[in-house]
Every structure is written in structure tokens, then in C-alpha cells.
Amino acid sequence: MGALAQKNMSSAWGELGNVEGDVSVPSNGSPAIFPNDPNEYPAIAVDNWRAPPIFYGESVEIGMEELVAHLNDRYAGNGPGNQGACHNETLILGGYSQGADVVGWALRRHDLSQAAKDHIGYVALYGDPKFEPGSLYNRFFHANFDRDWWWVRGDDWGYRPWAAAMYVPVFTPFVPVPTIVPDSGILSPRTPYVPSEFKGRFGSWCALFDAICAGWFPFGQDVHSNAYQGGGGWIAQSVGEVVWAAGNKHNQLNPNNQVYVGSFTPPNAQTGPPAATTPPPPVITDVKRTTDHTGVRQVYAATNTAVTEAWWHPGQGVQKKEIIHIAQGNIVGFDKVNEPDGTTQSLYTAVPDGVWETWWRPNEGIHHNKIITGLSGVRQVIADPVVENGQYTHRLYILAQDGPYEAWWRDGGDGIHISRLDIVNDPVTMDKAKGPDGTEQLYVATPTYVYELWWRPGESVHHGEIIHISQGDIRGLDKGDNLSDGGQLLYTGTSTTAWQSYWLGSAPSHGTIAQGQTNAIQIEKDVYNGVHELYLATGDHVQEYWWNGPNSGTSELIRISQNNITAFDKSNDGADQQVYTASGDLVYETWWRAGVSPTSSVLFKVAR
């Protein structure tokens, strides 16, 4: 890593494990295998990664800690204008093999400061054991490749969709056995592989038949050792893209000291640098069905840049308008409520450092105000207003990188009050509910655990563990309705399974509703006419599971051949039931009722 070296620009580099320069190096100049300082990163050879004195996972953890600490210190606000001592510097991060694993994980660490991220001009990974080139479907057809697997470089099968299967000799060199080319690196991939904010300044190079990043272990160890080095290796071939992107970052950080970066066509781009290309179509990331005070049906769809409202009366055409546009393109979630005055509607839009409030009334236009700032790594917002002692209280629950926060205020009061309810590091989602006795409940999930926080007004917050799923990829939560006997239900979704947790005066017991899914992304629980319903979405379809006493069943509601479903919401209107499904820049409505099979059609399309 170091500053961009160009013309009269100074440059420097450092190697993880010796960024402080205090590690002794053998006289032959080769790096020390185990540094003197036990808190500095020692890489583990591929054929020694499970052997003492230090294990591979421990080594990666040490590397992450050292890298994050170094970057945070380098760009901490202790320089001119509180900008950081190295505020003019452009950083290039590079990692090979286990080093790529370390860098990849460090980018996802919640304690990596935004200042450090903002100074990164490019991240180049080579031979990453957690390399993720996308699905076989996308390798065949290149579907959504530029949008969803924009980091893929090199010549592994993920980048060459014309070859997805071949014959490989197994057991004997004389009898070829058909096999599928491995999907990804030798270790399970990071999910997501890289934070989306690094798009345009990140690439991961994997060589064909590489043992580590392409999964050809142990046959491709020589490829892993040789494909990246030398004048014809992937490191040398990546220099143009790295320097071009880092030069653009330098110009962004130093508007009065511009350097010429020329033109460059990144892989998978149509023409010219990314800024000169036609922007890709927007991708809806969240969708919510509501009604207004008069019963007008509404669907809100959020992309990373805007929230769009579609509304209609039954039997009439759909109208739409953009409620809020965030030019930074960093929307991470939203929620919508009707205020008790009978006319005001409010939308709360979450961005990484806080929440925007948007409100409107008939004939008064739309008003915006950023009401919460100063948070870090916000992931989600839930609006849950209440009436307390005859007073209407606005309440928001905000999930940030260090846990959930509660914000509340009253109209005409003394401003917004905000406090963190508990410390939960790196959470992924949450859900708000009330217990059978009216107790306030908030359920917060990390990739591996779901915790319950509960409290009564004026009392302290209690917390406990509901479920631990060692698979480590929890993606969705929904607190089911409380049962008539006081029992409680929580539904937890992973990429493969929907779990049901039940408790009544004792520790929760757990069972599964759906298993064997492929890349499940969201679950939602409902009860309709006394029938329990669980909805589960994967990339290509939404499935309904229902049960009522001894009777149960399942059916597919909608299938999207593009395999790009990102979110859905379930609603009921009298005898009709609906699911609203986000697919790319489209929202589909699927409706059905007793005796009528589901029918799907496009409801509306977002502009950005």
C-alpha cells in the first residue's frame, strides 16, 4: 500500500506485519515468517494453515486488526483542519492469497473509519481464497454480471462464461469423470464479497486453474504461485486499472493539485471510464406496501438513490412520484407512517450516518429534513410511533454498526432524544414488536445470533439470546403475532432455511419451516383468516408456506427468470392477498384469493 507515484508525487509503501518497521528481517531479505511482535500479522503457508503455532483464522484476525488500526490512525482527524495527518494521500491496498483474505475482511470491518475508506484509491486482490465469481447461470449468460459481479478480473471461469464444465481425470488418468468447474475460492466466500461503496475502485484477480481462488486444490498450486508474478502476470496486467482509479481518487482529494490520468476501459465496461458510460438501470433494494389515511393503496420502492411512491384506487391506473432523492447514492433503508392528524404522511430514509424525515400533506408539497446525524454504519430504520399518556410520540429505531438506537420526540417539545439501547457489534437486521403484556421488544440479528431486547417505559433495557445459528448467514427476521395462550413466535431466515422459535415462560425451542433453499434473501410472517403463512424469497421466486392445525402446504407465488429478486412485501385487502416483489427496476404485484390462483403483473418501474 502507498501513495500514488506519478510525476512529482511522493510515494511510500508498507507491508502488513511490518508497517511500524520494527520487525527483524532475515539477512537474505525474505520476510520474517513470525514477527517479533506477537500482535503483528504472520502469514500462514497454504500447506500449513491448520498447524500450530498459529492457525490460519487467527492469522487473518491479527492481520485485520493490524490493518484496520494502521489505516484508522493514518487518517485520523489530527491534521490540518481536523482532516487527518495524511489527508492529501491516496491509498492503494493490495493483497495476495491470504493477504487478499485479510484485506477483503478488513474492508467489511465496522470499525474501519469512513475517513480511511474515503482515502482508498484502489483495492487489488490476487488469488483470494474467498473469491466469488458469481453463479453458473451468470457465467453462461453474463446476466447482471456488470452490476452484481463487477469485481471479477483475471481468466477464471467466472470471467469466461463460455466454459462451465469439462472432463477432469479423477482416480485414474485413463477414465475421465465429468465434473463442474468449482464455483469459487477454496474457502466459503464473504457475503457480500465487497462493500458496494468500493465499486469502481476494486478488482479481484483469479487465474484459471488456481488452487486457491478457483478451488482447484491441490492440482493448481503451481498456478497460484506463478500466475500473478512477473511481467506477464496478473499483477503487472492490473497496473493500468489500479493507477487510473487511484489517480481519479487523488484528483478528488486534491482539487488544486490535479494529475492527468488519461482514459481507461475497465473490464465489463462498454466504452471509456465508468463516469463516461450510460449508468446502469437502478436496482430496487427495499419495497413496502401501505395505505394513506383515506385508504388509497401505496407501494414504496427504494433504490440507493431515491424512494418512489406508486399509488392507486382499486380499478384505476397506477400513478407514481419520487418522494426523496439522495444524490450521494447511499440509501440503506426506509419506513413510512401515517401521522394521527389524519392528513400528514411521513417517510424516514436511512443513510449511513443518520436519517432523513420527509413529510407531506394534501396541497402542501413535500418537505425534507435530516433529523438524525452522527451515527456510523446505519443499516436500517423502523418507525414505531406511540400514544403515551394522551401524547403522540414519534419513535424511530435505527440499526447502526454498533447496535440499535432509539430516537423519540414530540411535536412542540424539546427536540429529538436519541440513545443506544444496547451494544451489538456488526448487526445485519432487526424487527420491532410488542409482547403479550405490552412490553416493548426489539429483535436484533448478527450473522450468527438473534438477540431480544425488551423494556417497559421508564425501565432499563433487558436482553437475551433467542437463537444461535452457526451457519453464520442470518439475513431476515420477522416477529410473528403473539398466540392466544401467550406464546411467542420469531422467524429467522438464513440463505438456506427459515427457522421458527417458540417460547412461553421458558427458553425458546426451535424448528424449521423451510429448508434446502438456494440464496434465500428475505422472509415475512403473516396470519390470514386464522391460517399461518410464511413467505420466503430467493433470487428467482417467492414461496408461500401455510399451516393451520394438522393441515399445511406450500406453493410458488411468482418466479422471475432474471434471478434478480431483491425484496418483497406481503399485504391483505379484504378477501384479496398480495405480494409486491422487487426485481431490478420493476415492482410486480401478485394477487390471489380463495379459489383463484396467483396472477402477477408489473405494477410500476422506478426512474432512478
Side-chain angles (χ1 to χ4, degrees):
M1 53 189 161
L4 177 68
Q6 183 171 341
K7 296 184 178 179
N8 61 343
M9 297 175 63
S10 62
S11 65
W13 71 279
E15 184 175 3
L16 199 59
N18 195 22
V19 292
E20 301 165 333
D22 62 350
V23 175
S24 62
V25 177
S27 58
N28 62 7
S30 62
I33 297 176
F34 297 107
N36 297 338
D37 185 343
N39 295 318
E40 293 190 358
Y41 167 67
I44 303 300
V46 67
D47 57 355
N48 192 43
W49 64 1
R50 293 187 178 90
I54 189 168
F55 295 94
Y56 178 85
E58 296 173 304
S59 174
V60 170
E61 182 68 27
I62 292 173
M64 287 191 294
E65 294 285 351
E66 183 180 356
L67 179 56
V68 170
H70 176 70
L71 297 183
N72 286 348
D73 179 69
R74 194 171 187 87
Y75 303 108
N78 54 10
N82 199 36
Q83 292 178 306
C86 302
H87 64 279
N88 292 322
E89 182 179 79
T90 299
L91 183 80
I92 298 173
L93 280 176
Y96 162 71
S97 194
Q98 185 188 339
D101 195 1
V102 169
V103 173
W105 276 115
L107 296 180
R108 295 181 49 188
R109 285 282 293 258
H110 70 275
D111 51 347
L112 179 62
S113 71
Q114 190 62 48
K117 296 176 185 177
D118 290 343
H119 281 77
I120 295 175
Y122 200 89
V123 180
L125 305 186
Y126 308 95
D128 184 359
K130 288 185 171 289
F131 179 67
E132 170 56 276
S135 69
L136 288 174
Y137 175 88
N138 284 280
R139 300 182 200 188
F140 276 123
F141 301 108
H142 238 212
N144 305 323
F145 197 86
D146 295 344
R147 192 187 73 216
D148 297 334
W149 289 278
W150 41 265
W151 57 81
V152 175
R153 305 290 188 273
D155 62 354
D156 176 42
W157 301 115
Y159 189 56
R160 302 288 186 180
W162 41 260
M166 63 181 299
Y167 284 92
V168 177
V170 178
F171 304 123
T172 168
F174 306 110
V175 181
V177 177
T179 185
I180 297 296
V181 171
D183 275 359
S184 56
I186 194 171
L187 301 180
S188 59
R190 295 180 293 273
T191 303
Y193 182 70
V194 58
S196 59
E197 67 181 287
F198 289 99
K199 188 171 184 178
R201 49 193 175 120
F202 182 99
S204 185
W205 279 261
C206 182
L208 184 64
F209 299 127
D210 186 325
I212 304 305
C213 65
W216 287 89
F217 189 83
F219 309 109
Q221 294 190 56
D222 290 342
V223 176
H224 183 68
S225 301
N226 302 326
Y228 305 94
Q229 307 296 326
W234 285 115
I235 292 177
Q237 294 188 40
S238 67
V239 168
E241 180 175 355
V242 174
V243 171
W244 177 82
N248 279 295
K249 173 58 73 171
H250 165 84
N251 290 342
Q252 176 187 342
L253 296 173
N254 300 273
N256 298 321
N257 183 25
Q258 301 280 296
V259 296
Y260 175 71
V261 296
S263 61
F264 176 77
T265 302
N268 306 321
Q270 298 298 317
T271 57
T277 62
T278 301
V283 178
I284 298 170
T285 56
D286 198 5
V287 63
K288 183 179 180 66
R289 163 65 199 277
T290 68
T291 60
D292 71 3
H293 296 88
T294 66
V296 171
R297 301 176 184 183
Q298 304 165 315
V299 172
Y300 295 86
T303 67
N304 64 343
T305 60
V307 180
T308 300
E309 177 196 56
W311 76 96
W312 69 98
H313 290 278
Q316 298 182 11
V318 175
Q319 304 178 67
K320 66 178 181 179
K321 64 182 176 184
E322 190 173 271
I323 299 297
I324 186 171
H325 171 234
I326 304 291
Q328 292 86 347
N330 59 357
I331 294 175
V332 295
F334 76 94
D335 203 1
K336 190 264 179 179
V337 294
N338 295 326
E339 305 296 355
D341 62 3
T343 58
T344 305
Q345 301 181 69
S346 298
L347 181 81
Y348 298 95
T349 305
V351 294
D353 66 342
V355 177
W356 286 81
E357 180 185 48
T358 302
W359 64 270
W360 64 99
R361 299 188 189 104
N363 304 317
E364 289 192 29
I366 298 176
H367 309 266
H368 307 287
N369 187 30
K370 194 171 186 180
I371 60 173
I372 295 174
T373 61
L375 299 181
S376 181
V378 173
R379 286 111 160 104
Q380 186 180 353
V381 61
I382 295 175
D384 185 37
V386 294
V387 176
E388 298 175 323
N389 300 321
Q391 290 184 298
Y392 180 74
T393 303
H394 303 266
R395 293 194 311 184
L396 298 180
Y397 295 92
I398 306 153
L399 191 62
Q401 68 179 19
D402 56 354
Y405 288 74
E406 180 186 53
W408 67 271
W409 69 98
R410 295 189 177 114
D411 295 334
D414 57 353
I416 296 175
H417 305 260
I418 184 169
S419 61
R420 185 170 60 183
L421 295 173
D422 202 355
I423 298 175
V424 181
N425 290 321
D426 215 17
V428 293
T429 188
M430 66 178 176
D431 194 32
K432 180 67 176 61
K434 284 185 181 292
D437 60 355
T439 301
E440 301 286 352
Q441 299 170 321
L442 190 69
Y443 296 89
V444 181
T446 70
T448 334
Y449 291 89
V450 178
Y451 301 100
E452 180 190 41
L453 312 181
W454 72 94
W455 68 96
R456 287 183 171 277
E459 298 181 1
S460 59
V461 176
H462 308 273
H463 60 91
E465 177 188 314
I466 296 294
I467 189 172
H468 169 222
I469 300 176
S470 59
Q471 185 172 318
D473 64 345
I474 293 174
R475 299 181 175 185
L477 287 179
D478 198 349
K479 175 64 161 52
D481 291 343
N482 299 313
L483 302 179
S484 58
D485 63 356
Q488 300 188 65
L489 298 168
L490 179 73
Y491 296 87
T492 305
T494 70
S495 64
T496 63
T497 308
W499 293 83
Q500 176 184 267
S501 301
Y502 167 82
W503 66 97
L504 175 60
S506 60
S509 59
H510 313 293
T512 58
I513 302 298
Q515 301 184 70
Q517 304 298 311
T518 300
N519 194 30
I521 58 174
Q522 183 185 340
I523 61 171
E524 190 168 324
K525 176 63 169 51
D526 194 14
V527 177
Y528 180 75
N529 285 343
V531 177
H532 291 265
E533 301 170 328
L534 181 75
Y535 298 88
L536 181 148
T538 68
D540 64 358
H541 74 284
V542 178
Q543 192 82 11
E544 178 192 44
Y545 299 86
W546 63 270
W547 62 99
N548 184 14
N551 301 313
S552 63
T554 181
S555 61
E556 181 179 290
L557 297 178
I558 183 173
R559 178 165 290 271
I560 303 293
S561 60
Q562 290 87 348
N563 195 27
N564 62 350
I565 293 175
T566 52
F568 76 93
D569 196 19
K570 168 66 167 53
S571 71
N572 305 311
D573 289 311
D576 294 339
Q577 300 189 71
Q578 304 95 1
V579 162
Y580 297 90
T581 304
S583 169
D585 57 356
L586 302 174
V587 174
Y588 289 81
E589 180 186 53
T590 303
W591 75 273
W592 70 99
R593 63 172 61 161
V596 179
S597 299
T599 300
S600 300
S601 60
V602 173
L603 186 67
F604 68 99
K605 179 178 181 178
V606 299
R608 60 181 175 181

